[in-house]
């Protein structure tokens, strides 16, 4: 069972209506869609364009500009590893390599069994407790090989 | 009497186990039937001590840290919950009176005065600790007098550009009334090595709300937006809780504190684009578009959000305002050096023993920050380079450690203080790799609007690959220098314009990492 609801036009229209009175609502709506569906499916784009009186190109342009909006469903777990300078100074690149080899997947992809999406993130603002990570929205600081292995084990349970 | 125990809710503390520690202590208190209240405060900023557990005795706070979940049983056994005198609770983790810790003693906390002390989402706590005094005074003044006060304080934009805040406000104040004006807070703190915005939003969110409310009243803006990066979910929660509480108490809404001024505030989330920290890109994003940088002019002060006059300030700039209004411009301007007035919340990060938030008057040297306060590297190896000001900041070698923390002094040495993030690297860092990373980051995050940034960053990364492979090193380094020149002077915004800072500083100060002969000692000593 996915933790997200399947995409439907009806639900998309509901979400649009909830935010219709905001100034500049598109980003808020996209976040809400991703929250509900786990991604922003391409089927949603013409619906948003019609409802917000934008061109499909404009909506597509916004969806694809931002790293956060996913075109496809993520894995069961999402593991983000910070690769910015402060984490680099504390050896995050070794941990990225370790995660990639343990999960058999490179950053930006989902493991073949659909369990884990591994992503790079550029700064979680935890730069004095580096290296840092985020697993399913939970922040992890002072990451080392042992803590990383424990997180990976959690995702395999 | 209820014992108060403080365990931070700050994301950095949570990332190292503060939530588990809090629930273990709460459970132990329930089991023992002890009269204990666990307060989830902000962080004090001594991040190597997180999770820092504090107990209060006669109004004095005593600390223990870092407390891992495994340390909790021993602390409880030592009598943490029994109301003993702090001196009688024997623990190797004891740091004594928190306010007397040398790291705290050496600071001048104006902006972060309350952070870590209060319950961040308690409005009554905020008011009991001098909160809303700035607004109170502002409400007794004419809008132009508020603008003048901020101008006189010498406050400059804390986001990085260092533009005088008072001039921005004056420009928006002087646009015709009767039209919608906006206050936008730039909380897209994307620079690696920076976390002051996050800490203050999580640890004292009412301060930002108060600062924005004062800005609104000063320039005649009735709506405000906080553009917050999506990587900061804890800050989002804290801000929304504080906004709801402020609204309920009449500090936000159609009639702020009965003054007749209206001010409404909303948090909007970014979506992982670094370039949206650039103010015009941020405005585009707030409007629901791709975060493409706008050409200036027109300035946001004239045509900003939805084409309306807009004050756009960094979190720390707005958070400095309540102090300036409550204590007066002079009290703030008395701190600092040269044209850098007041205090700067400096963030010590990366490979450092004592990383954390250190707010101090401008003028402290880089060497003091890294060695005396930061304690040198956590790895114990020699410091090789320090990057100041985020991914677009220059790498400084030890021989420039006498540089004082000041906008102009850093600029004179081809660097910038930016948002005051200080990231320390030990001698295992390879500076050619860091230069390549700067180009690579820029190429991924470039909005694509201007050619020098979009193309220059990609060519730069490719050329660095050749340099690192030892191909025609001198010829390729000449290309790098040329690209940097083009990007610096031809880019539309600071992303492309400042990417040359890390690259050329690495090349200048660490030529041997690029396959060039190391500088002669005499030359290096200059």
């Amino acid at each position: 069972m996915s933790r997200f609801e399947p995409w439907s036009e009806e639900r998309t229209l509901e979400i649009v209506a909830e935010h219709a009175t905001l100034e500049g609502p598109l980003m808020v709506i996209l976040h809400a869609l991703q929250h509900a569906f786990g991604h922003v499916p391409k089927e949603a784009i013409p619906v948003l364009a019609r409802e917000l009186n934008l061109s499909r190109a404009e909506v597509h342009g916004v969806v694809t500009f931002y790293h956060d909006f996913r075109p496809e469903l993520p894995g069961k777990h999402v593991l983000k590893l910070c690769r910015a300078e402060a984490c680099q100074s504390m050896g995050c690149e070794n941990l990225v390599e370790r995660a990639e080899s343990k999960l058999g997947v490179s950053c930006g992809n989902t493991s073949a069994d659909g369990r884990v999406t591994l992503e790079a993130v550029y700064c979680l603002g935890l730069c004095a407790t580096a290296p840092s990570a985020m697993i399913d929205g939970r922040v992890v600081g002072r990451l080392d090989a042992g803590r990383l292995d424990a997180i990976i084990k959690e995702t395999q349970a | 009497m209820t014992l108060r125990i403080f365990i931070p809710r700050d994301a950095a503390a949570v990332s190292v186990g503060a939530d588990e520690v809090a629930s273990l202590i709460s459970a132990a208190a329930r089991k023992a039937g002890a009269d204990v209240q666990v307060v989830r405060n902000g962080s004090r900023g001594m991040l190597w001590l997180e999770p820092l557990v504090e107990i209060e005795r006669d109004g004095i706070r005593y600390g223990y840290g870092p407390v891992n979940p495994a340390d909790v049983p021993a602390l409880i056994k030592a009598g943490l919950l029994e109301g003993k005198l702090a001196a009688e609770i024997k623990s190797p983790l004891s740091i004594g009176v928190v306010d007397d810790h040398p790291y705290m003693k050496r600071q001048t906390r104006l902006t972060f005065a309350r952070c870590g002390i209060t319950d961040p989402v308690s409005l009554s706590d905020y008011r009991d600790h001098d909160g809303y005094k700035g607004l109170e005074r502002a409400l007794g003044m004419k809008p132009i007098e508020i603008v003048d006060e901020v101008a006189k304080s010498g406050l400059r934009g804390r986001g990085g550009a260092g533009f005088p805040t008072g001039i921005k406000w004056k420009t928006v104040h002087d646009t015709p009334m009767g039209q919608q004006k906006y206050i936008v807070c730039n909380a897209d703190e994307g620079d690696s090595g920076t976390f002051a915005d996050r800490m203050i939003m999580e640890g004292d969110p009412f301060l930002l709300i108060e600062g924005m409310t004062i800005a609104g009243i000063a320039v005649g803006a009735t709506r405000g937006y906080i553009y917050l990066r999506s990587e900061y979910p804890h800050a989002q929660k804290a801000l929304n809780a504080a906004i709801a509480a402020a609204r309920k108490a009449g500090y936000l809404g159609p009639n702020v504190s009965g003054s007749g001024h209206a001010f409404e505030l909303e948090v909007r989330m970014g979506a992982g684009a670094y370039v949206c920290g650039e103010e015009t890109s941020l405005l585009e994003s707030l409007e629901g578009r791709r975060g493409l940088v706008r050409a200036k002019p027109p300035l946001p002060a004239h045509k900003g959000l939805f084409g309306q006059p807009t004050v756009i300030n960094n979190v720390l700039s707005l958070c400095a305002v309540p102090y300036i209004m409550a204590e007066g411009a002079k009290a703030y301007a008395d701190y600092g050096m040269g044209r850098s007035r007041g205090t700067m919340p400096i963030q010590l990060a990366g490979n450092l023993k004592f990383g954390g938030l250190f707010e101090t008057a401008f003028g402290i040297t880089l060497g003091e920050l890294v060695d005396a306060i930061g304690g040198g590297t956590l790895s114990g190896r020699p410091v090789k380079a320090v990057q100041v000001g985020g991914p677009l900041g220059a790498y400084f070698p030890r021989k420039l450690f006498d540089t004082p923390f000041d906008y102009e002094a850093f600029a004179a040495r081809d660097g910038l203080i930016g948002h005051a993030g200080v990231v320390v690297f030990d001698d295992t860092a390879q500076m050619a790799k860091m230069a390549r990373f700067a180009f690579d980051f820029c190429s991924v995050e470039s909005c694509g609007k201007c050619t020098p940034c979009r193309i220059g960053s990609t060519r730069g990364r490719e050329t660095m690959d050749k340099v690192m492979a030892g191909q025609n090193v001198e010829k390729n380094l000449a290309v790098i220098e040329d690209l940097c020149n083009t990007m610096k002077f031809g880019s539309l915004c600071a992303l492309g314009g400042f990417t040359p800072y890390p690259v050329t500083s690495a090349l200048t100060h660490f030529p041997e990492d690029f396959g060039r002969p190391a500088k002669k000692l005499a030359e290096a000593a200059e």
Side-chain angles (χ1 to χ4, degrees):
Chain A
M1 254 299 279
S2 169
R3 61 195 186 283
F4 302 111
E5 46 187 301
W7 183 78
S8 75
E9 179 163 341
E10 198 190 347
R11 186 77 183 97
T12 302
L13 290 173
E14 269 176 39
I15 289 170
V16 172
E18 269 168 47
H19 301 99
T21 57
L22 295 177
E23 294 181 309
L26 183 54
M27 294 282 283
V28 184
I29 290 171
L30 291 174
H31 274 301
L33 289 180
Q34 178 144 307
H35 185 76
F37 306 128
H39 66 312
V40 181
K42 60 178 188 299
E43 293 84 349
I45 289 173
V47 180
L48 294 180
R50 190 182 69 219
E51 293 302 312
L52 299 173
N53 198 21
L54 297 166
S55 72
R56 286 166 66 166
E58 281 170 308
V59 179
H60 173 83
V62 173
V63 174
T64 52
F65 183 85
Y66 297 96
H67 300 301
D68 280 6
F69 301 128
R70 305 171 195 282
E72 280 159 9
L73 273 170
K76 199 167 161 224
H77 301 280
V78 177
L79 173 58
K80 299 183 183 193
L81 297 176
C82 180
R83 299 181 77 172
E85 287 89 340
C87 285
Q88 287 181 33
S89 78
M90 291 299 289
C92 70
E93 287 303 309
N94 295 333
L95 297 173
V96 171
E97 250 174 60
R98 190 180 182 93
E100 287 184 335
S101 91
K102 289 217 158 199
L103 293 168
V105 65
S106 61
C107 261
N109 295 295
T110 302
S111 60
D113 59 7
R115 278 182 193 276
V116 189
T117 298
L118 182 65
E119 288 179 347
V121 58
Y122 290 90
C123 202
L124 293 167
L126 308 171
C127 316
T129 49
S132 56
M134 195 184 248
I135 172 76
D136 299 332
R138 192 179 90 225
V139 285
V140 185
R142 293 183 198 137
L143 192 70
D144 55 20
R147 294 193 80 183
L148 176 64
D149 290 355
I151 290 170
I152 290 175
K153 206 171 155 197
E154 243 176 75
T155 65
Q156 304 300 315
Chain B
M1 200 185 123
T2 306
L3 286 179
R4 295 210 296 166
I5 299 185
F6 297 81
I7 306 163
R9 64 170 77 208
D10 178 277
V14 169
S15 82
V16 290
D19 283 349
E20 290 89 330
V21 170
S23 61
L24 286 171
I25 290 179
S26 298
R30 267 197 308 275
K31 204 173 146 201
D35 187 10
V36 166
Q37 181 199 359
V38 172
V39 179
R40 302 302 303 272
N41 56 335
S43 171
R44 294 278 199 151
M46 298 188 283
L47 293 172
W48 75 96
L49 289 175
E50 294 292 359
L52 177 70
V53 174
E54 290 175 80
I55 56 169
E56 194 177 44
R57 295 284 183 274
D58 299 325
I60 296 170
R61 306 249 296 249
Y62 300 84
Y64 303 86
V67 178
N68 291 310
D71 300 320
V72 172
L75 267 178
I76 305 262
K77 217 174 148 196
L80 192 73
L81 307 174
E82 292 164 22
K84 284 187 188 174
L85 291 175
E88 289 167 15
I89 305 172
K90 302 282 179 217
S91 163
L93 301 176
S94 169
I95 62 157
V97 177
V98 178
D99 287 329
D100 290 345
H101 192 285
Y103 200 84
M104 301 303 292
K105 277 244 151 188
R106 295 179 74 162
Q107 298 189 48
T108 303
R109 287 200 160 190
L110 307 184
T111 298
F112 278 76
R114 255 179 312 266
C115 191
I117 310 278
T118 54
D119 177 348
V121 293
S122 160
L123 181 57
S124 59
D125 231 7
Y126 184 69
R127 296 197 42 158
D128 289 347
H129 289 80
D130 296 333
Y132 276 120
K133 281 201 174 152
L135 177 68
E136 204 177 296
R137 177 158 171 257
L139 287 176
M141 296 162 75
K142 289 197 191 104
I144 190 65
E145 292 168 349
I146 305 175
V147 173
D148 284 345
E149 193 79 14
V150 170
K152 269 190 277 175
S153 75
L155 178 65
R156 293 166 72 178
R158 297 289 187 247
F163 188 81
T165 306
I167 294 180
K168 260 191 195 178
W169 287 24
K170 177 84 168 47
T171 312
V172 177
H173 172 275
D174 289 349
T175 59
M177 297 303 281
Q179 56 181 333
Q180 180 68 56
K181 302 182 190 181
Y182 292 100
I183 308 296
V184 173
C185 171
N186 184 344
D188 194 45
E189 184 179 51
D191 288 355
S192 174
T194 64
F195 46 81
D197 295 354
R198 180 187 62 66
M199 265 187 66
I200 202 73
M201 289 186 288
E202 293 175 4
D204 198 11
F206 288 109
L207 181 66
L208 177 58
I209 296 169
E210 185 182 351
M212 290 183 74
T213 309
I214 294 170
I217 289 165
V219 305
T222 54
R223 289 191 78 87
Y225 287 100
I226 299 169
Y227 184 90
L228 179 68
R229 60 198 303 261
S230 59
E231 291 84 349
Y232 284 1
H234 300 78
Q236 182 189 14
K237 255 189 227 147
L239 285 168
N240 281 330
I243 287 171
R247 191 175 290 138
K248 205 170 153 206
Y251 284 108
L252 290 173
N255 187 8
V256 172
S257 292
S259 66
H261 292 281
F263 193 68
E264 258 311 332
L265 193 51
E266 191 183 327
V267 178
R268 289 285 179 94
M269 300 308 284
Y274 176 76
V275 73
C276 289
E278 196 282 333
E279 60 180 15
T280 62
S281 161
L282 186 155
L283 294 174
E284 288 287 310
S285 185
L286 257 183
E287 291 179 18
R289 284 199 284 272
R290 292 163 70 86
L292 293 188
V293 172
R294 296 177 186 170
K296 288 190 270 196
L299 296 170
H302 292 125
K303 280 185 188 304
L305 188 61
F306 302 110
Q308 299 301 115
T310 301
V311 165
I312 176 162
N313 281 148
N314 173 256
V315 174
L316 297 180
S317 315
L318 290 161
C319 284
V321 169
Y323 177 88
I324 292 166
M325 293 314 299
E327 304 297 326
K330 188 175 176 301
Y332 192 75
D334 278 348
Y335 295 100
M337 71 174 274
R339 293 202 292 122
S340 307
R341 308 314 309 175
T343 60
M344 189 77 201
I346 296 167
Q347 299 122 85
L348 302 176
N351 196 336
L352 262 190
K353 224 177 256 158
F354 308 128
L357 184 115
F358 193 87
E359 181 175 352
T360 186
F362 285 98
I364 191 169
T365 67
L366 184 56
E368 283 175 79
L369 286 169
V370 173
D371 295 326
I373 292 154
T377 64
L378 182 63
S379 62
R381 303 180 68 98
V383 173
K384 176 165 182 176
V386 180
Q387 188 178 31
V388 183
L392 308 175
Y395 287 100
F396 276 51
R398 184 167 272 285
K399 70 172 170 149
L400 296 182
F401 271 17
D402 61 341
T403 314
F405 222 82
D406 161 72
Y407 291 102
E408 279 69 39
F410 265 73
R413 288 183 162 178
D414 295 320
L416 48 113
I417 64 176
H419 190 49
V422 174
V423 177
V424 176
F425 292 80
D426 71 12
D427 62 349
T428 59
Q430 294 161 12
M431 300 315 291
K433 216 169 132 187
M434 300 318 294
R436 183 195 183 277
F437 176 78
F439 279 127
D440 190 36
F441 185 73
C442 181
S443 75
V444 173
E445 297 299 333
S446 175
C447 82
K449 182 154 177 172
C450 74
T451 313
C453 174
R454 184 182 69 245
I455 309 281
S457 54
T458 302
R459 292 290 95 83
R461 182 188 58 216
E462 292 165 359
T463 312
M464 273 312 303
D465 280 336
K466 291 178 194 161
V467 170
M468 289 162 77
Q471 296 170 22
N472 292 325
V473 171
E474 274 311 313
K475 250 184 162 168
N476 279 314
L477 284 178
V479 174
I480 292 282
E481 280 163 356
D482 194 40
L483 276 171
C484 282
N485 216 30
T486 306
M487 288 176 73
K488 187 170 177 180
F489 296 104
S491 296
L492 203 49
C493 83
L495 178 50
F498 287 7
T499 291
Y501 277 102
V503 175
T504 47
S505 60
L507 188 52
T508 305
H509 301 305
F510 307 95
E512 62 280 11
D513 282 18
F514 292 78
R516 273 182 171 170
K519 278 191 184 168
K520 287 192 200 90
L521 274 180
E523 201 187 329
E526 264 171 30

